[in-house]
Amino acid sequence: MNARRLLASLLLLPGLALAANIPDPPTIAAKSWVLMDAASGEVLAGNNAEARVEPASITKVMLSYVVYDEIARGRASLEDMVLISEKAWRQGIDSSESRMFLNVGSRVKLEDLLRGIVIQSGNDSSIAMAEHLAGSEQAFAELMNQHAKRLGMKNTHFTNAPGLPDAEHYTTAHDLALLGQALIRDFPDHYPMYAEKEFVYNGIRQANRNYLLGKDPSVDGIKTGHTQAAGYCLLASAQREGRRLISVVMGADSWAYREQATQELLSWGFRFFETVKLFGAETPAGKTVVWKGARPEVAVGTLEPLALTLPRETKDRLEVQTRFDGPAIAPLSRGQTVGQLTVSLDGKTLRELPLVVLEDVPAGSWWRRLIDTLRLWLFG
């Protein structure tokens, strides 16, 4: 399959890339890769995006996601003091590069452990965190798998916290893009930690291995990974002019090339696509007549905004159609489905969504109900 056809097949907007004469995506020399729009979740391009690969230290993104969730649920705090077990300490000794230099038997603030995981990619801090939150690394891996399933990561399975090689520890480029999207969406207050360029602990200063943070001001995360089997991997995100893209490059031959490939993908995606938001509770798709209600009409649309990623200079050709299931008869509740909303571009359907009422409409007076009952009976 050539690159142009691959792009059209991956887009959730079939054929639009071809119609807009978008050039082929960059040729990326990696085991797998994918580029996603964070707002819409639409895949702009990719190769072997569903192929099973080793996540290496990108595993720690899921680790941190679970930690943030535990904090949000009140089951953990950034101020917790975490006991460093011999297992965690020994893993640090065995991991000459990926370590936080923790001391066995010491107690470390959970917030410091998080920075050791996110910035220093510490294997020792990863195991210490897993043991603190779940009792054992194995139990914590089960938590990670539960979250992966909930986030729609259908081809992912974790067996350990740091991302050490294991035949049953795997993911895909597309699943990692979903994880990056969820991290940024669900924990915006914690996400800025991924943009920190260095962290000092125990008198030792270590730099974030995502060197794009110092080269491209639009890049604000997320995580690198490397083992001999996995190759050089990078899950990255960048925001330009209010729009965010997520790229995943897995199995590159060098750390320098994974950065080059990431920048090529991001530049291509920002240059040739744009994301538009439609509808939402404050932007109705239209209005409809209300029968037997306390008022004569009600706004209809979607409660949440709809994000669409489109080839640039095509948004003015969008068309919106509404179809009603029947007369809207009060009482009506906010969010109640009354029909279907269709968004199309140049005759191609992009989205079909439930059409809902945006406000409650109570029943009208007995006189209004009687009049409208007769009108419906007479005129259908």
Side-chain angles (χ1 to χ4, degrees), residues 22-23 35 44 240-241 243 245 263-274 310-313:
I22 289 178
L35 180 67
L44 305 184
R240 300 178 189 174
E241 298 179 353
R243 180 169 169 240
L245 295 180
Q263 287 191 297
E264 289 179 5
L265 287 172
L266 292 172
S267 295
W268 179 82
F270 282 119
R271 170 65 181 83
F272 294 109
F273 294 87
E274 62 181 327
L310 305 172
R312 285 196 179 275
E313 300 180 359

mmCIF file with all atom_site columns, all heavy atoms in Angstrom, residues 22-23 35 44 240-241 243 245 263-274 310-313:
data_model
loop_
_atom_site.group_PDB
_atom_site.id
_atom_site.type_symbol
_atom_site.label_atom_id
_atom_site.label_alt_id
_atom_site.label_comp_id
_atom_site.label_asym_id
_atom_site.label_entity_id
_atom_site.label_seq_id
_atom_site.pdbx_PDB_ins_code
_atom_site.Cartn_x
_atom_site.Cartn_y
_atom_site.Cartn_z
_atom_site.occupancy
_atom_site.B_iso_or_equiv
_atom_site.pdbx_formal_charge
_atom_site.auth_seq_id
_atom_site.auth_comp_id
_atom_site.auth_asym_id
_atom_site.auth_atom_id
_atom_site.pdbx_PDB_model_num
ATOM 1   N N   . ILE A 1 22  ? -3.186  16.702 -0.142 1.00 0.00 ? 22  ILE A N   1
ATOM 2   C CA  . ILE A 1 22  ? -2.186  16.748 0.919  1.00 0.00 ? 22  ILE A CA  1
ATOM 3   C C   . ILE A 1 22  ? -1.017  15.854 0.519  1.00 0.00 ? 22  ILE A C   1
ATOM 4   O O   . ILE A 1 22  ? -1.210  14.710 0.097  1.00 0.00 ? 22  ILE A O   1
ATOM 5   C CB  . ILE A 1 22  ? -2.795  16.284 2.248  1.00 0.00 ? 22  ILE A CB  1
ATOM 6   C CG1 . ILE A 1 22  ? -3.779  17.345 2.750  1.00 0.00 ? 22  ILE A CG1 1
ATOM 7   C CG2 . ILE A 1 22  ? -1.729  16.026 3.299  1.00 0.00 ? 22  ILE A CG2 1
ATOM 8   C CD1 . ILE A 1 22  ? -4.472  16.974 4.021  1.00 0.00 ? 22  ILE A CD1 1
ATOM 9   N N   . PRO A 1 23  ? 0.217   16.332 0.636  1.00 0.00 ? 23  PRO A N   1
ATOM 10  C CA  . PRO A 1 23  ? 1.365   15.487 0.292  1.00 0.00 ? 23  PRO A CA  1
ATOM 11  C C   . PRO A 1 23  ? 1.483   14.301 1.234  1.00 0.00 ? 23  PRO A C   1
ATOM 12  O O   . PRO A 1 23  ? 0.964   14.315 2.355  1.00 0.00 ? 23  PRO A O   1
ATOM 13  C CB  . PRO A 1 23  ? 2.559   16.434 0.432  1.00 0.00 ? 23  PRO A CB  1
ATOM 14  C CG  . PRO A 1 23  ? 2.089   17.541 1.300  1.00 0.00 ? 23  PRO A CG  1
ATOM 15  C CD  . PRO A 1 23  ? 0.616   17.673 1.069  1.00 0.00 ? 23  PRO A CD  1
ATOM 16  N N   . LEU A 1 35  ? 0.603   9.344  14.082 1.00 0.00 ? 35  LEU A N   1
ATOM 17  C CA  . LEU A 1 35  ? 0.386   10.764 14.399 1.00 0.00 ? 35  LEU A CA  1
ATOM 18  C C   . LEU A 1 35  ? -1.093  10.973 14.631 1.00 0.00 ? 35  LEU A C   1
ATOM 19  O O   . LEU A 1 35  ? -1.914  10.631 13.776 1.00 0.00 ? 35  LEU A O   1
ATOM 20  C CB  . LEU A 1 35  ? 0.882   11.654 13.265 1.00 0.00 ? 35  LEU A CB  1
ATOM 21  C CG  . LEU A 1 35  ? 0.724   13.168 13.473 1.00 0.00 ? 35  LEU A CG  1
ATOM 22  C CD1 . LEU A 1 35  ? 1.640   13.652 14.600 1.00 0.00 ? 35  LEU A CD1 1
ATOM 23  C CD2 . LEU A 1 35  ? 1.041   13.922 12.174 1.00 0.00 ? 35  LEU A CD2 1
ATOM 24  N N   . LEU A 1 44  ? -3.929  10.855 11.833 1.00 0.00 ? 44  LEU A N   1
ATOM 25  C CA  . LEU A 1 44  ? -3.611  11.552 10.587 1.00 0.00 ? 44  LEU A CA  1
ATOM 26  C C   . LEU A 1 44  ? -2.753  10.704 9.664  1.00 0.00 ? 44  LEU A C   1
ATOM 27  O O   . LEU A 1 44  ? -2.854  10.811 8.444  1.00 0.00 ? 44  LEU A O   1
ATOM 28  C CB  . LEU A 1 44  ? -2.901  12.871 10.891 1.00 0.00 ? 44  LEU A CB  1
ATOM 29  C CG  . LEU A 1 44  ? -3.635  13.822 11.850 1.00 0.00 ? 44  LEU A CG  1
ATOM 30  C CD1 . LEU A 1 44  ? -2.873  15.128 11.987 1.00 0.00 ? 44  LEU A CD1 1
ATOM 31  C CD2 . LEU A 1 44  ? -5.055  14.063 11.376 1.00 0.00 ? 44  LEU A CD2 1
ATOM 32  N N   . ARG A 1 240 ? 0.678   23.977 19.157 1.00 0.00 ? 240 ARG A N   1
ATOM 33  C CA  . ARG A 1 240 ? 0.949   25.185 18.391 1.00 0.00 ? 240 ARG A CA  1
ATOM 34  C C   . ARG A 1 240 ? -0.370  25.870 18.059 1.00 0.00 ? 240 ARG A C   1
ATOM 35  O O   . ARG A 1 240 ? -1.282  25.249 17.533 1.00 0.00 ? 240 ARG A O   1
ATOM 36  C CB  . ARG A 1 240 ? 1.694   24.847 17.084 1.00 0.00 ? 240 ARG A CB  1
ATOM 37  C CG  . ARG A 1 240 ? 3.036   24.167 17.302 1.00 0.00 ? 240 ARG A CG  1
ATOM 38  C CD  . ARG A 1 240 ? 3.720   23.809 16.002 1.00 0.00 ? 240 ARG A CD  1
ATOM 39  N NE  . ARG A 1 240 ? 4.889   22.972 16.236 1.00 0.00 ? 240 ARG A NE  1
ATOM 40  C CZ  . ARG A 1 240 ? 5.624   22.408 15.275 1.00 0.00 ? 240 ARG A CZ  1
ATOM 41  N NH1 . ARG A 1 240 ? 5.283   22.616 14.003 1.00 0.00 ? 240 ARG A NH1 1
ATOM 42  N NH2 . ARG A 1 240 ? 6.657   21.639 15.585 1.00 0.00 ? 240 ARG A NH2 1
ATOM 43  N N   . GLU A 1 241 ? -0.447  27.148 18.400 1.00 0.00 ? 241 GLU A N   1
ATOM 44  C CA  . GLU A 1 241 ? -1.627  27.967 18.120 1.00 0.00 ? 241 GLU A CA  1
ATOM 45  C C   . GLU A 1 241 ? -2.897  27.307 18.653 1.00 0.00 ? 241 GLU A C   1
ATOM 46  O O   . GLU A 1 241 ? -3.943  27.303 17.992 1.00 0.00 ? 241 GLU A O   1
ATOM 47  C CB  . GLU A 1 241 ? -1.740  28.234 16.618 1.00 0.00 ? 241 GLU A CB  1
ATOM 48  C CG  . GLU A 1 241 ? -0.556  29.015 16.067 1.00 0.00 ? 241 GLU A CG  1
ATOM 49  C CD  . GLU A 1 241 ? -0.654  29.252 14.574 1.00 0.00 ? 241 GLU A CD  1
ATOM 50  O OE1 . GLU A 1 241 ? -1.573  28.693 13.952 1.00 0.00 ? 241 GLU A OE1 1
ATOM 51  O OE2 . GLU A 1 241 ? 0.180   29.992 14.031 1.00 0.00 ? 241 GLU A OE2 1
ATOM 52  N N   . ARG A 1 243 ? -3.570  24.189 19.142 1.00 0.00 ? 243 ARG A N   1
ATOM 53  C CA  . ARG A 1 243 ? -3.862  22.855 18.618 1.00 0.00 ? 243 ARG A CA  1
ATOM 54  C C   . ARG A 1 243 ? -2.768  21.894 19.057 1.00 0.00 ? 243 ARG A C   1
ATOM 55  O O   . ARG A 1 243 ? -1.582  22.238 19.020 1.00 0.00 ? 243 ARG A O   1
ATOM 56  C CB  . ARG A 1 243 ? -3.957  22.902 17.101 1.00 0.00 ? 243 ARG A CB  1
ATOM 57  C CG  . ARG A 1 243 ? -4.266  21.552 16.478 1.00 0.00 ? 243 ARG A CG  1
ATOM 58  C CD  . ARG A 1 243 ? -4.618  21.704 15.014 1.00 0.00 ? 243 ARG A CD  1
ATOM 59  N NE  . ARG A 1 243 ? -4.640  20.382 14.409 1.00 0.00 ? 243 ARG A NE  1
ATOM 60  C CZ  . ARG A 1 243 ? -3.866  19.994 13.414 1.00 0.00 ? 243 ARG A CZ  1
ATOM 61  N NH1 . ARG A 1 243 ? -2.986  20.842 12.905 1.00 0.00 ? 243 ARG A NH1 1
ATOM 62  N NH2 . ARG A 1 243 ? -3.949  18.780 12.930 1.00 0.00 ? 243 ARG A NH2 1
ATOM 63  N N   . LEU A 1 245 ? -0.962  17.985 18.849 1.00 0.00 ? 245 LEU A N   1
ATOM 64  C CA  . LEU A 1 245 ? -0.750  16.709 18.173 1.00 0.00 ? 245 LEU A CA  1
ATOM 65  C C   . LEU A 1 245 ? 0.047   15.780 19.076 1.00 0.00 ? 245 LEU A C   1
ATOM 66  O O   . LEU A 1 245 ? 0.837   16.224 19.916 1.00 0.00 ? 245 LEU A O   1
ATOM 67  C CB  . LEU A 1 245 ? 0.001   16.898 16.854 1.00 0.00 ? 245 LEU A CB  1
ATOM 68  C CG  . LEU A 1 245 ? -0.701  17.691 15.747 1.00 0.00 ? 245 LEU A CG  1
ATOM 69  C CD1 . LEU A 1 245 ? 0.204   17.768 14.518 1.00 0.00 ? 245 LEU A CD1 1
ATOM 70  C CD2 . LEU A 1 245 ? -2.038  17.071 15.388 1.00 0.00 ? 245 LEU A CD2 1
ATOM 71  N N   . GLN A 1 263 ? 9.887   15.265 14.843 1.00 0.00 ? 263 GLN A N   1
ATOM 72  C CA  . GLN A 1 263 ? 9.736   16.637 14.353 1.00 0.00 ? 263 GLN A CA  1
ATOM 73  C C   . GLN A 1 263 ? 9.159   16.665 12.940 1.00 0.00 ? 263 GLN A C   1
ATOM 74  O O   . GLN A 1 263 ? 8.351   17.541 12.612 1.00 0.00 ? 263 GLN A O   1
ATOM 75  C CB  . GLN A 1 263 ? 11.083  17.350 14.402 1.00 0.00 ? 263 GLN A CB  1
ATOM 76  C CG  . GLN A 1 263 ? 11.520  17.694 15.824 1.00 0.00 ? 263 GLN A CG  1
ATOM 77  C CD  . GLN A 1 263 ? 12.713  18.622 15.850 1.00 0.00 ? 263 GLN A CD  1
ATOM 78  O OE1 . GLN A 1 263 ? 13.794  18.275 15.393 1.00 0.00 ? 263 GLN A OE1 1
ATOM 79  N NE2 . GLN A 1 263 ? 12.527  19.816 16.389 1.00 0.00 ? 263 GLN A NE2 1
ATOM 80  N N   . GLU A 1 264 ? 9.550   15.710 12.100 1.00 0.00 ? 264 GLU A N   1
ATOM 81  C CA  . GLU A 1 264 ? 8.994   15.653 10.747 1.00 0.00 ? 264 GLU A CA  1
ATOM 82  C C   . GLU A 1 264 ? 7.492   15.392 10.789 1.00 0.00 ? 264 GLU A C   1
ATOM 83  O O   . GLU A 1 264 ? 6.715   16.033 10.066 1.00 0.00 ? 264 GLU A O   1
ATOM 84  C CB  . GLU A 1 264 ? 9.701   14.558 9.944  1.00 0.00 ? 264 GLU A CB  1
ATOM 85  C CG  . GLU A 1 264 ? 11.129  14.901 9.570  1.00 0.00 ? 264 GLU A CG  1
ATOM 86  C CD  . GLU A 1 264 ? 11.803  13.782 8.789  1.00 0.00 ? 264 GLU A CD  1
ATOM 87  O OE1 . GLU A 1 264 ? 11.123  12.786 8.464  1.00 0.00 ? 264 GLU A OE1 1
ATOM 88  O OE2 . GLU A 1 264 ? 13.004  13.920 8.495  1.00 0.00 ? 264 GLU A OE2 1
ATOM 89  N N   . LEU A 1 265 ? 7.068   14.459 11.641 1.00 0.00 ? 265 LEU A N   1
ATOM 90  C CA  . LEU A 1 265 ? 5.643   14.147 11.746 1.00 0.00 ? 265 LEU A CA  1
ATOM 91  C C   . LEU A 1 265 ? 4.849   15.336 12.275 1.00 0.00 ? 265 LEU A C   1
ATOM 92  O O   . LEU A 1 265 ? 3.789   15.682 11.745 1.00 0.00 ? 265 LEU A O   1
ATOM 93  C CB  . LEU A 1 265 ? 5.440   12.936 12.660 1.00 0.00 ? 265 LEU A CB  1
ATOM 94  C CG  . LEU A 1 265 ? 5.850   11.583 12.084 1.00 0.00 ? 265 LEU A CG  1
ATOM 95  C CD1 . LEU A 1 265 ? 5.772   10.510 13.169 1.00 0.00 ? 265 LEU A CD1 1
ATOM 96  C CD2 . LEU A 1 265 ? 4.952   11.210 10.913 1.00 0.00 ? 265 LEU A CD2 1
ATOM 97  N N   . LEU A 1 266 ? 5.350   15.961 13.332 1.00 0.00 ? 266 LEU A N   1
ATOM 98  C CA  . LEU A 1 266 ? 4.638   17.094 13.918 1.00 0.00 ? 266 LEU A CA  1
ATOM 99  C C   . LEU A 1 266 ? 4.524   18.251 12.918 1.00 0.00 ? 266 LEU A C   1
ATOM 100 O O   . LEU A 1 266 ? 3.452   18.856 12.772 1.00 0.00 ? 266 LEU A O   1
ATOM 101 C CB  . LEU A 1 266 ? 5.343   17.559 15.191 1.00 0.00 ? 266 LEU A CB  1
ATOM 102 C CG  . LEU A 1 266 ? 5.303   16.596 16.377 1.00 0.00 ? 266 LEU A CG  1
ATOM 103 C CD1 . LEU A 1 266 ? 6.197   17.093 17.500 1.00 0.00 ? 266 LEU A CD1 1
ATOM 104 C CD2 . LEU A 1 266 ? 3.881   16.400 16.888 1.00 0.00 ? 266 LEU A CD2 1
ATOM 105 N N   . SER A 1 267 ? 5.610   18.546 12.228 1.00 0.00 ? 267 SER A N   1
ATOM 106 C CA  . SER A 1 267 ? 5.583   19.653 11.263 1.00 0.00 ? 267 SER A CA  1
ATOM 107 C C   . SER A 1 267 ? 4.587   19.381 10.143 1.00 0.00 ? 267 SER A C   1
ATOM 108 O O   . SER A 1 267 ? 3.833   20.268 9.729  1.00 0.00 ? 267 SER A O   1
ATOM 109 C CB  . SER A 1 267 ? 6.988   19.871 10.687 1.00 0.00 ? 267 SER A CB  1
ATOM 110 O OG  . SER A 1 267 ? 7.884   20.295 11.694 1.00 0.00 ? 267 SER A OG  1
ATOM 111 N N   . TRP A 1 268 ? 4.562   18.145 9.649  1.00 0.00 ? 268 TRP A N   1
ATOM 112 C CA  . TRP A 1 268 ? 3.618   17.768 8.592  1.00 0.00 ? 268 TRP A CA  1
ATOM 113 C C   . TRP A 1 268 ? 2.181   17.902 9.082  1.00 0.00 ? 268 TRP A C   1
ATOM 114 O O   . TRP A 1 268 ? 1.317   18.451 8.380  1.00 0.00 ? 268 TRP A O   1
ATOM 115 C CB  . TRP A 1 268 ? 3.920   16.342 8.141  1.00 0.00 ? 268 TRP A CB  1
ATOM 116 C CG  . TRP A 1 268 ? 3.016   15.813 7.078  1.00 0.00 ? 268 TRP A CG  1
ATOM 117 C CD1 . TRP A 1 268 ? 3.110   16.029 5.729  1.00 0.00 ? 268 TRP A CD1 1
ATOM 118 C CD2 . TRP A 1 268 ? 1.880   14.962 7.273  1.00 0.00 ? 268 TRP A CD2 1
ATOM 119 N NE1 . TRP A 1 268 ? 2.097   15.357 5.068  1.00 0.00 ? 268 TRP A NE1 1
ATOM 120 C CE2 . TRP A 1 268 ? 1.329   14.695 5.993  1.00 0.00 ? 268 TRP A CE2 1
ATOM 121 C CE3 . TRP A 1 268 ? 1.285   14.386 8.392  1.00 0.00 ? 268 TRP A CE3 1
ATOM 122 C CZ2 . TRP A 1 268 ? 0.213   13.894 5.812  1.00 0.00 ? 268 TRP A CZ2 1
ATOM 123 C CZ3 . TRP A 1 268 ? 0.164   13.583 8.222  1.00 0.00 ? 268 TRP A CZ3 1
ATOM 124 C CH2 . TRP A 1 268 ? -0.358  13.345 6.945  1.00 0.00 ? 268 TRP A CH2 1
ATOM 125 N N   . GLY A 1 269 ? 1.894   17.407 10.288 1.00 0.00 ? 269 GLY A N   1
ATOM 126 C CA  . GLY A 1 269 ? 0.530   17.451 10.811 1.00 0.00 ? 269 GLY A CA  1
ATOM 127 C C   . GLY A 1 269 ? 0.035   18.858 11.063 1.00 0.00 ? 269 GLY A C   1
ATOM 128 O O   . GLY A 1 269 ? -1.120  19.191 10.750 1.00 0.00 ? 269 GLY A O   1
ATOM 129 N N   . PHE A 1 270 ? 0.886   19.706 11.621 1.00 0.00 ? 270 PHE A N   1
ATOM 130 C CA  . PHE A 1 270 ? 0.480   21.088 11.884 1.00 0.00 ? 270 PHE A CA  1
ATOM 131 C C   . PHE A 1 270 ? 0.331   21.874 10.572 1.00 0.00 ? 270 PHE A C   1
ATOM 132 O O   . PHE A 1 270 ? -0.528  22.749 10.469 1.00 0.00 ? 270 PHE A O   1
ATOM 133 C CB  . PHE A 1 270 ? 1.493   21.787 12.783 1.00 0.00 ? 270 PHE A CB  1
ATOM 134 C CG  . PHE A 1 270 ? 1.368   21.430 14.243 1.00 0.00 ? 270 PHE A CG  1
ATOM 135 C CD1 . PHE A 1 270 ? 2.423   20.825 14.912 1.00 0.00 ? 270 PHE A CD1 1
ATOM 136 C CD2 . PHE A 1 270 ? 0.209   21.696 14.945 1.00 0.00 ? 270 PHE A CD2 1
ATOM 137 C CE1 . PHE A 1 270 ? 2.316   20.499 16.256 1.00 0.00 ? 270 PHE A CE1 1
ATOM 138 C CE2 . PHE A 1 270 ? 0.086   21.372 16.291 1.00 0.00 ? 270 PHE A CE2 1
ATOM 139 C CZ  . PHE A 1 270 ? 1.152   20.773 16.945 1.00 0.00 ? 270 PHE A CZ  1
ATOM 140 N N   . ARG A 1 271 ? 1.150   21.549 9.598  1.00 0.00 ? 271 ARG A N   1
ATOM 141 C CA  . ARG A 1 271 ? 1.133   22.314 8.350  1.00 0.00 ? 271 ARG A CA  1
ATOM 142 C C   . ARG A 1 271 ? -0.095  22.028 7.505  1.00 0.00 ? 271 ARG A C   1
ATOM 143 O O   . ARG A 1 271 ? -0.692  22.939 6.907  1.00 0.00 ? 271 ARG A O   1
ATOM 144 C CB  . ARG A 1 271 ? 2.406   21.998 7.543  1.00 0.00 ? 271 ARG A CB  1
ATOM 145 C CG  . ARG A 1 271 ? 2.418   22.546 6.117  1.00 0.00 ? 271 ARG A CG  1
ATOM 146 C CD  . ARG A 1 271 ? 2.426   24.077 6.099  1.00 0.00 ? 271 ARG A CD  1
ATOM 147 N NE  . ARG A 1 271 ? 2.414   24.590 4.739  1.00 0.00 ? 271 ARG A NE  1
ATOM 148 C CZ  . ARG A 1 271 ? 1.324   24.743 3.984  1.00 0.00 ? 271 ARG A CZ  1
ATOM 149 N NH1 . ARG A 1 271 ? 0.128   24.421 4.477  1.00 0.00 ? 271 ARG A NH1 1
ATOM 150 N NH2 . ARG A 1 271 ? 1.410   25.230 2.765  1.00 0.00 ? 271 ARG A NH2 1
ATOM 151 N N   . PHE A 1 272 ? -0.542  20.784 7.431  1.00 0.00 ? 272 PHE A N   1
ATOM 152 C CA  . PHE A 1 272 ? -1.544  20.411 6.437  1.00 0.00 ? 272 PHE A CA  1
ATOM 153 C C   . PHE A 1 272 ? -2.927  20.107 7.009  1.00 0.00 ? 272 PHE A C   1
ATOM 154 O O   . PHE A 1 272 ? -3.845  19.811 6.245  1.00 0.00 ? 272 PHE A O   1
ATOM 155 C CB  . PHE A 1 272 ? -1.044  19.219 5.622  1.00 0.00 ? 272 PHE A CB  1
ATOM 156 C CG  . PHE A 1 272 ? 0.160   19.548 4.783  1.00 0.00 ? 272 PHE A CG  1
ATOM 157 C CD1 . PHE A 1 272 ? 1.410   19.044 5.107  1.00 0.00 ? 272 PHE A CD1 1
ATOM 158 C CD2 . PHE A 1 272 ? 0.061   20.391 3.688  1.00 0.00 ? 272 PHE A CD2 1
ATOM 159 C CE1 . PHE A 1 272 ? 2.528   19.364 4.358  1.00 0.00 ? 272 PHE A CE1 1
ATOM 160 C CE2 . PHE A 1 272 ? 1.166   20.718 2.926  1.00 0.00 ? 272 PHE A CE2 1
ATOM 161 C CZ  . PHE A 1 272 ? 2.410   20.206 3.264  1.00 0.00 ? 272 PHE A CZ  1
ATOM 162 N N   . PHE A 1 273 ? -3.086  20.165 8.311  1.00 0.00 ? 273 PHE A N   1
ATOM 163 C CA  . PHE A 1 273 ? -4.385  19.891 8.922  1.00 0.00 ? 273 PHE A CA  1
ATOM 164 C C   . PHE A 1 273 ? -4.747  20.989 9.919  1.00 0.00 ? 273 PHE A C   1
ATOM 165 O O   . PHE A 1 273 ? -3.882  21.707 10.422 1.00 0.00 ? 273 PHE A O   1
ATOM 166 C CB  . PHE A 1 273 ? -4.381  18.537 9.644  1.00 0.00 ? 273 PHE A CB  1
ATOM 167 C CG  . PHE A 1 273 ? -4.234  17.353 8.733  1.00 0.00 ? 273 PHE A CG  1
ATOM 168 C CD1 . PHE A 1 273 ? -2.975  16.901 8.365  1.00 0.00 ? 273 PHE A CD1 1
ATOM 169 C CD2 . PHE A 1 273 ? -5.344  16.693 8.235  1.00 0.00 ? 273 PHE A CD2 1
ATOM 170 C CE1 . PHE A 1 273 ? -2.820  15.815 7.516  1.00 0.00 ? 273 PHE A CE1 1
ATOM 171 C CE2 . PHE A 1 273 ? -5.207  15.609 7.386  1.00 0.00 ? 273 PHE A CE2 1
ATOM 172 C CZ  . PHE A 1 273 ? -3.939  15.168 7.027  1.00 0.00 ? 273 PHE A CZ  1
ATOM 173 N N   . GLU A 1 274 ? -6.025  21.090 10.202 1.00 0.00 ? 274 GLU A N   1
ATOM 174 C CA  . GLU A 1 274 ? -6.516  21.969 11.256 1.00 0.00 ? 274 GLU A CA  1
ATOM 175 C C   . GLU A 1 274 ? -7.664  21.269 11.979 1.00 0.00 ? 274 GLU A C   1
ATOM 176 O O   . GLU A 1 274 ? -8.313  20.380 11.420 1.00 0.00 ? 274 GLU A O   1
ATOM 177 C CB  . GLU A 1 274 ? -6.982  23.309 10.695 1.00 0.00 ? 274 GLU A CB  1
ATOM 178 C CG  . GLU A 1 274 ? -8.141  23.212 9.730  1.00 0.00 ? 274 GLU A CG  1
ATOM 179 C CD  . GLU A 1 274 ? -8.547  24.570 9.170  1.00 0.00 ? 274 GLU A CD  1
ATOM 180 O OE1 . GLU A 1 274 ? -8.419  25.564 9.904  1.00 0.00 ? 274 GLU A OE1 1
ATOM 181 O OE2 . GLU A 1 274 ? -9.005  24.624 8.020  1.00 0.00 ? 274 GLU A OE2 1
ATOM 182 N N   . LEU A 1 310 ? -9.481  18.375 9.942  1.00 0.00 ? 310 LEU A N   1
ATOM 183 C CA  . LEU A 1 310 ? -9.748  18.497 8.505  1.00 0.00 ? 310 LEU A CA  1
ATOM 184 C C   . LEU A 1 310 ? -8.498  18.954 7.773  1.00 0.00 ? 310 LEU A C   1
ATOM 185 O O   . LEU A 1 310 ? -7.646  19.650 8.351  1.00 0.00 ? 310 LEU A O   1
ATOM 186 C CB  . LEU A 1 310 ? -10.839 19.535 8.257  1.00 0.00 ? 310 LEU A CB  1
ATOM 187 C CG  . LEU A 1 310 ? -12.172 19.358 8.982  1.00 0.00 ? 310 LEU A CG  1
ATOM 188 C CD1 . LEU A 1 310 ? -13.033 20.597 8.762  1.00 0.00 ? 310 LEU A CD1 1
ATOM 189 C CD2 . LEU A 1 310 ? -12.877 18.111 8.481  1.00 0.00 ? 310 LEU A CD2 1
ATOM 190 N N   . PRO A 1 311 ? -8.379  18.599 6.504  1.00 0.00 ? 311 PRO A N   1
ATOM 191 C CA  . PRO A 1 311 ? -7.357  19.242 5.678  1.00 0.00 ? 311 PRO A CA  1
ATOM 192 C C   . PRO A 1 311 ? -7.573  20.751 5.698  1.00 0.00 ? 311 PRO A C   1
ATOM 193 O O   . PRO A 1 311 ? -8.710  21.227 5.689  1.00 0.00 ? 311 PRO A O   1
ATOM 194 C CB  . PRO A 1 311 ? -7.611  18.661 4.286  1.00 0.00 ? 311 PRO A CB  1
ATOM 195 C CG  . PRO A 1 311 ? -8.287  17.350 4.551  1.00 0.00 ? 311 PRO A CG  1
ATOM 196 C CD  . PRO A 1 311 ? -9.141  17.585 5.765  1.00 0.00 ? 311 PRO A CD  1
ATOM 197 N N   . ARG A 1 312 ? -6.500  21.490 5.739  1.00 0.00 ? 312 ARG A N   1
ATOM 198 C CA  . ARG A 1 312 ? -6.630  22.947 5.805  1.00 0.00 ? 312 ARG A CA  1
ATOM 199 C C   . ARG A 1 312 ? -7.426  23.492 4.612  1.00 0.00 ? 312 ARG A C   1
ATOM 200 O O   . ARG A 1 312 ? -7.385  22.951 3.519  1.00 0.00 ? 312 ARG A O   1
ATOM 201 C CB  . ARG A 1 312 ? -5.246  23.597 5.842  1.00 0.00 ? 312 ARG A CB  1
ATOM 202 C CG  . ARG A 1 312 ? -4.563  23.462 7.192  1.00 0.00 ? 312 ARG A CG  1
ATOM 203 C CD  . ARG A 1 312 ? -3.400  24.415 7.333  1.00 0.00 ? 312 ARG A CD  1
ATOM 204 N NE  . ARG A 1 312 ? -2.772  24.286 8.639  1.00 0.00 ? 312 ARG A NE  1
ATOM 205 C CZ  . ARG A 1 312 ? -3.177  24.907 9.740  1.00 0.00 ? 312 ARG A CZ  1
ATOM 206 N NH1 . ARG A 1 312 ? -4.240  25.697 9.694  1.00 0.00 ? 312 ARG A NH1 1
ATOM 207 N NH2 . ARG A 1 312 ? -2.536  24.738 10.882 1.00 0.00 ? 312 ARG A NH2 1
ATOM 208 N N   . GLU A 1 313 ? -8.159  24.577 4.904  1.00 0.00 ? 313 GLU A N   1
ATOM 209 C CA  . GLU A 1 313 ? -8.942  25.304 3.911  1.00 0.00 ? 313 GLU A CA  1
ATOM 210 C C   . GLU A 1 313 ? -10.130 24.496 3.379  1.00 0.00 ? 313 GLU A C   1
ATOM 211 O O   . GLU A 1 313 ? -10.579 24.698 2.247  1.00 0.00 ? 313 GLU A O   1
ATOM 212 C CB  . GLU A 1 313 ? -8.053  25.780 2.749  1.00 0.00 ? 313 GLU A CB  1
ATOM 213 C CG  . GLU A 1 313 ? -6.935  26.706 3.208  1.00 0.00 ? 313 GLU A CG  1
ATOM 214 C CD  . GLU A 1 313 ? -6.049  27.171 2.052  1.00 0.00 ? 313 GLU A CD  1
ATOM 215 O OE1 . GLU A 1 313 ? -6.303  26.744 0.909  1.00 0.00 ? 313 GLU A OE1 1
ATOM 216 O OE2 . GLU A 1 313 ? -5.116  27.953 2.315  1.00 0.00 ? 313 GLU A OE2 1
#
